[in-house]
Amino acid sequence: MKKRIVVALGGNALGNTAQEQRQLVRQTAVPLADLIAEGHELVLAHGNGPQVGMINLAFDSGVVPAMPFPECGAMSQGYIGYHLQNALREELLSRGLDRPVATVVTQVVVDKNDPAFQNPTKPIGSFYSKEEAEQIAEKTGFIMKEDAGRGYRRVVASPKPVAVVEDRTVNALIRDGQVVITVGGGGIPVVREGDHLEGVAAVIDKDFASEVLAEIVNADYLIILTAVEKVALNYGKPQEKWLDRVTVAEMEQYVEEGHFAPGSMLPKVEASVAFAKSGKGRTALITSLDCARDGIAGKTGTHISL
Ligand code: ADP
Ligand code: MG
């Protein structure tokens, strides 16, 4: 049966340099095209950690004026979308599927009173010595923190996504049968100031943004594709147990018990729970890129539903 599926691609689907990414997305396109060939409607979201980091670093050189972080995010959406839309277009055409694929530069509204702004945690950009970091903080007002013994870096907040500004555009493209790439890197974070949207230096978790997107497009499935085939309890420990089908209530219990690493698996599990809770018949699936097709067929992956 035809499903509407939001697919959130993880870092392993993209790669680090432009050359690497162009190669890797050709592989990424295969399982995505499989799903489209089976008749499903796909909406794509993706992370941008390494890419936005690279863009930000490139502008840190002092050779050209500094580039604000929201603009770096916009550049990363265009750069990643360009590669993804071409790779997917080509893979679809090779199967005789003439389906338009388009990237939408997407802004995601955050609440300026989000408590995350009081405690920035996401390191971005270059490493500095303590003295340099203090000077930068004084000059720019940036918050600089020590990063795991490697030096000082700027940190920004990771607020929760509230709304997708381009929601009607995305839905119009879906209605027209187009494959849309949107909320790249979690979206460009903006705060509302009347009619004006002000970009803020922050990082929205792509798993949470994908969840909001999945609700907005009324998806049947939210698939979070990452480096592991399933979610585990006691991950990496002797009593490791891979999860197949889990209810929201069970997953909430496992979250309580601390089974999922913050910053990697926890946001995926939380996004999955939120989506499964948001409406009847909505299922979240966490699996690897290679297993996407079997996952949708119910053969593998971790499925979360009410
Ligand atoms: P992505 O780029 O896809 O968001 P992350 O590295 O942020 O990838 O998160 C996925 C990683 O989370 C997995 O590759 C795995 O190493 C790690 N992980 C942490 N806890 C768990 C768990 N309980 N079960 C499975 N994987 C886990
Ligand atoms: Mg991640």
Side-chain angles (χ1 to χ4, degrees):
M1 238 184 41
K2 174 177 147 183
K3 302 278 187 209
R4 182 170 292 177
I5 305 170
V6 167
V7 178
L9 298 170
N12 65 329
L14 300 172
N16 291 309
T17 65
Q19 286 77 357
E20 200 178 291
Q21 181 171 276
R22 216 170 34 226
Q23 282 303 316
L24 214 52
V25 291
R26 296 167 69 96
Q27 284 159 248
T28 301
V30 176
L32 300 177
D34 286 343
L35 293 175
I36 294 168
E38 282 174 6
H40 301 303
E41 281 177 343
L42 246 58
V43 186
L44 302 178
H46 59 81
N48 75 343
Q51 295 81 5
V52 77
M54 176 179 71
I55 293 165
N56 189 241
L57 268 181
F59 282 102
D60 253 5
S61 62
V63 176
V64 292
M67 187 62 67
F69 197 65
E71 277 76 354
C72 293
M75 289 183 189
S76 79
Q77 287 186 348
Y79 154 63
I80 297 167
Y82 161 56
H83 280 175
L84 262 181
Q85 75 190 37
N86 267 327
L88 189 52
R89 172 184 172 275
E90 202 170 315
E91 182 62 33
L92 289 169
L93 283 175
S94 78
R95 301 164 186 228
L97 293 166
D98 186 3
R99 191 77 47 88
V101 187
T103 301
V104 175
V105 174
T106 310
Q107 304 171 88
V108 170
V109 177
V110 298
D111 181 353
K112 70 171 187 301
N113 297 315
D114 190 309
F117 286 111
Q118 303 307 313
N119 180 31
T121 53
K122 288 266 180 191
I124 60 169
S126 312
F127 290 88
Y128 299 97
S129 70
K130 191 165 192 286
E131 295 68 37
E132 288 170 325
E134 280 165 1
Q135 281 170 12
I136 291 170
E138 184 140 335
K139 209 173 102 195
T140 59
F142 292 172
I143 299 168
M144 310 294 288
K145 281 189 189 164
E146 215 270 328
D147 185 5
R150 296 178 297 178
Y152 284 73
R153 289 175 91 185
R154 181 180 182 195
V155 286
V156 297
S158 189
K160 288 286 187 300
V162 175
V164 175
V165 177
E166 289 76 16
D167 54 356
R168 285 174 59 188
T169 309
V170 171
N171 272 317
L173 289 167
I174 296 170
R175 274 198 302 279
D176 191 54
Q178 307 201 27
V179 181
V180 193
I181 301 164
T182 178
V183 305
I188 304 160
V190 295
V191 295
R192 282 201 177 105
E193 292 172 358
D195 286 342
H196 174 70
L197 298 171
E198 182 68 19
V200 290
V203 175
I204 303 170
D205 194 293
K206 71 110 180 20
D207 299 315
F208 293 138
S210 303
E211 191 279 321
V212 170
L213 173 69
E215 289 195 39
I216 284 169
V217 304
N218 194 20
D220 304 297
Y221 267 94
L222 167 64
I223 313 189
I224 302 180
L225 297 180
T226 186
V228 286
E229 185 173 339
K230 294 178 187 180
V231 181
L233 299 180
N234 303 306
Y235 179 67
K237 296 185 190 144
Q239 327 87 292
E240 189 174 68
K241 179 175 178 269
W242 300 100
L243 299 170
D244 299 311
R245 268 160 223 284
V246 192
T247 65
V248 162
E250 286 166 341
M251 214 42 150
E252 284 176 333
Q253 178 65 34
Y254 299 147
V255 169
E256 274 294 285
E257 293 167 7
H259 285 283
F260 314 118
S264 62
M265 192 46 78
L266 184 60
K268 297 182 204 316
V269 167
E270 288 180 335
S272 297
V273 164
F275 181 64
K277 261 186 168 175
S278 70
K280 238 180 150 257
R282 289 182 171 176
T283 302
L285 166 63
I286 302 174
T287 191
S288 66
L289 198 55
D290 294 340
C291 294
R293 192 181 182 180
D294 282 347
I296 277 291
K299 293 180 199 159
T300 189
T302 302
H303 297 248
I304 302 105
S305 52
L306 265 181

